[in-house]
Amino acid sequence: MTRPLPEDPLIRRLVQQARASQVSRRAMLAGGVGGATALALAACAPGTSGSLTPATDQSATDKTVKWANWPAYLDEDDNGNYPTLEAFTEATGIEAEYLVDINDNNEYYAKIRDQLALGQDIGADIITLTDWMAGRLIRLGYTQELNDANIPNKKNLVAELRDVGFDPGRKHSLPWQGGFAGLCWNKKALPNGLKTLDDLWDPALAGKIVVLSEMRDTMGLILMSQGVDISGDFGEDEFNAALEVFREQVTSGQIGGVRGNSYTQDLINGDAIAGIVWSGDITLVNGELDEDLFEFALPDTGGTLWNDNFMIPIGSPRKANAEALINHYYDPEIAAQVALWVNYITPVEGAKEAALEIDPDAADNWLIFPDEKTLSNAKTFRPLTGAEEQSFSTAFQAVLVGA
C-alpha cells in the first residue's frame, strides 16, 4: 500500500519527480534492511576549544549560503541542477551556492586552516568533513556551536549518532552521510571478482590499481587483512607492518595511483580496473560509463565504516542560513531523495520509509540500508592520539613522496 504524498507542495513535487525518474543514479544491489546502526561510528576524544570569536551573523540581511562538499554527493538532474537544493531556496528564499571543493580531508584542511586559525571567513558557510577531521576542527575551536532552535529536524537524527566522542551532544556537528571503504573491480576485466585484499596484489593487475589517499581507509583495509581490529587497541608495530605492505605495493608499481575523490576518473578512463574505493561512488562511475561495469564489495577480512559531518566554520557570517539548510536536509523526504541518488547511508530517521515510497526496491540497496551481517564486516578506525596522528600520517605520506 502506498502512503499518501506529503502535504508540503515542494516536498510533494520532489517525491513525484523521484518516483517518475526512479532516481537515475541508483544501482540496486542485493542486501537487507537496517542502516541506522551503521552510522554509530567511533570518534575522537574531545579537546579544548580555542579562544576564537564566531563571526557576527548577517543572515537576516544576507539571504545566501555557501556549502562546500565532495563530488557526486548531492542529488543532481540531467541539467546539472540540484533539485533538493533548489527546493530549499524556493522554501526559504535563501540562495544556496554548492561548492564541489573537497577531494580529500587533509588537502581541504590545508587550504582553509590558516583562515580558520584567524577566525576568518573561508568562503563556505557549511563544510562536510569526515569524523576524524571534524573532531580536529571542533577540538581547535574552528567551528560554531549549532543553535538547535534553528534545526528542529535535528530530532530526526538516528539515536546511535546523537552523542559521539568527538562532539558530545552534537553541539558542533550533524552527520551528512555515511559509507564504507572496500574493493571495486571492472567486471569485464576481472569476471571472477575480488574477494580479499591480497587479490589486489596479483601481478597481472600491476599499475592498474588505484587506492584512497585517506590513510584510515587504505591502511584500515590493509590492517584488517592482517587480522588487526582497527577499532581496537592496535599500536605502532601493527601499523608499521601494514605500512610495509603499502610501501611495497606503491614502490613496485602495483598501485598505479593514490587519490582522493578524483580516483573515480581513473576508473572511468580505464587507467585503473580495480582498487580501494568508497561505496557510493561506484554508482557514479557506472552512470558516467552508462554501463554496469564496476562492482563494489567489502573484502572478506572487512571494510571501513565512516561518516561525513555538517559543520559551520568559525568565520561564517551566515550561521542561521546554514542552520536552515541543515534543517532542510534532515527532513526525511529530502534525506530519502539524496540517499537514493548518492547511495550512501542516511542518518535521518524516517528516510527509509520515505525512500520506499519513491522506490519500493530501495530496501534491497545494501549501500544505503546495510544489514547486520554487512555491518559486522565493517569497522571504524579507532581514535588516534595526537602523537599517533602525526606519526601514522607522516609515515603514510612519506611512502607517497618516496614513490
Side-chain angles (χ1 to χ4, degrees), residues 254-291:
Q254 181 72 18
I255 293 175
V258 183
R259 309 268 192 262
N261 225 131
S262 60
Y263 75 84
T264 56
Q265 290 305 309
D266 293 77
L267 301 175
I268 291 169
N269 63 29
D271 286 344
I273 61 173
I276 295 174
V277 305
W278 290 311
S279 50
D281 286 340
I282 298 309
T283 305
L284 165 71
V285 171
N286 286 335
E288 289 288 325
L289 293 169
D290 198 25
E291 180 181 5

Side-chain angles (χ1 to χ4, degrees), residues 44 106 130 132-133 136 181 213-221 223 230 304 381-385 389 393 396:
C44 302
N106 279 314
T130 309
W132 63 273
M133 183 59 78
R136 178 188 296 179
S213 60
E214 288 288 329
M215 181 269 288
R216 287 163 176 79
D217 289 323
T218 293
M219 292 301 299
L221 262 65
L223 281 160
I230 61 171
T304 64
F381 202 102
R382 75 163 174 80
L384 299 179
T385 66
E389 175 72 36
S393 295
F396 183 76

Side-chain angles (χ1 to χ4, degrees), residues 91-170:
T92 64
I94 300 170
E95 292 291 335
E97 184 177 356
Y98 189 68
L99 308 171
V100 185
D101 281 356
I102 306 173
N103 179 61
D104 173 280
N105 281 290
N106 279 314
E107 179 184 286
Y108 186 68
Y109 178 66
K111 292 179 181 179
I112 64 174
R113 62 186 175 191
D114 291 344
Q115 291 167 287
L116 287 173
L118 294 172
Q120 296 176 348
D121 184 359
I122 65 169
D125 305 299
I126 298 174
I127 54 179
T128 318
L129 299 173
T130 309
D131 287 327
W132 63 273
M133 183 59 78
R136 178 188 296 179
L137 267 61
I138 293 168
R139 185 171 63 250
L140 293 172
Y142 291 167
T143 60
Q144 299 191 44
E145 185 169 344
L146 301 175
N147 181 354
D148 288 353
N150 291 335
I151 315 175
N153 284 335
K154 181 179 178 179
K155 67 181 185 295
N156 296 325
L157 174 62
V158 296
E160 293 85 355
L161 282 177
R162 292 177 186 171
D163 190 52
V164 291
F166 68 84
D167 186 18
R170 285 291 184 181

Side-chain angles (χ1 to χ4, degrees), residues 38 316 351 394:
S316 166
T394 299

Side-chain angles (χ1 to χ4, degrees), residues 206-391:
K208 303 296 274 185
I209 301 299
V210 65
V211 302
L212 297 167
S213 60
E214 288 288 329
M215 181 269 288
R216 287 163 176 79
D217 289 323
T218 293
M219 292 301 299
L221 262 65
I222 296 174
L223 281 160
M224 294 176 80
S225 75
Q226 298 183 333
V228 176
D229 179 358
I230 61 171
S231 65
D233 191 25
F234 72 89
E236 188 174 345
D237 289 344
E238 291 88 348
F239 183 85
N240 286 338
L243 186 69
E244 284 308 306
V245 173
F246 179 61
R247 188 192 316 277
E248 178 184 348
Q249 303 306 328
V250 169
T251 56
S252 70
Q254 181 72 18
I255 293 175
V258 183
R259 309 268 192 262
N261 225 131
S262 60
Y263 75 84
T264 56
Q265 290 305 309
D266 293 77
L267 301 175
I268 291 169
N269 63 29
D271 286 344
I273 61 173
I276 295 174
V277 305
W278 290 311
S279 50
D281 286 340
I282 298 309
T283 305
L284 165 71
V285 171
N286 286 335
E288 289 288 325
L289 293 169
D290 198 25
E291 180 181 5
D292 186 24
L293 184 60
F294 282 90
E295 187 162 345
F296 174 87
L298 300 183
D300 289 351
T301 49
T304 64
L305 180 63
W306 45 264
N307 202 69
D308 292 325
N309 303 269
F310 284 124
M311 292 177 292
I312 301 175
I314 191 70
S316 166
R318 290 166 288 272
K319 179 173 181 284
N321 293 346
E323 291 164 336
L325 187 145
I326 295 170
N327 186 64
H328 175 72
Y329 282 100
Y330 265 71
D331 183 297
E333 305 283 352
I334 299 297
Q337 182 168 343
V338 172
L340 287 172
W341 199 90
V342 302
N343 280 265
Y344 284 109
I345 307 166
T346 175
V348 178
E349 197 73 58
K352 179 180 179 181
E353 291 76 11
L356 292 176
E357 290 303 318
I358 297 172
D359 182 348
D361 293 330
D364 292 332
N365 188 343
W366 69 276
L367 299 178
I368 307 174
F369 305 116
D371 60 16
E372 291 303 320
K373 181 178 180 181
T374 300
L375 297 177
S376 69
N377 199 30
K379 298 284 187 180
T380 57
F381 202 102
R382 75 163 174 80
L384 299 179
T385 66
E388 288 175 329
E389 175 72 36
Q390 177 70 23
S391 174

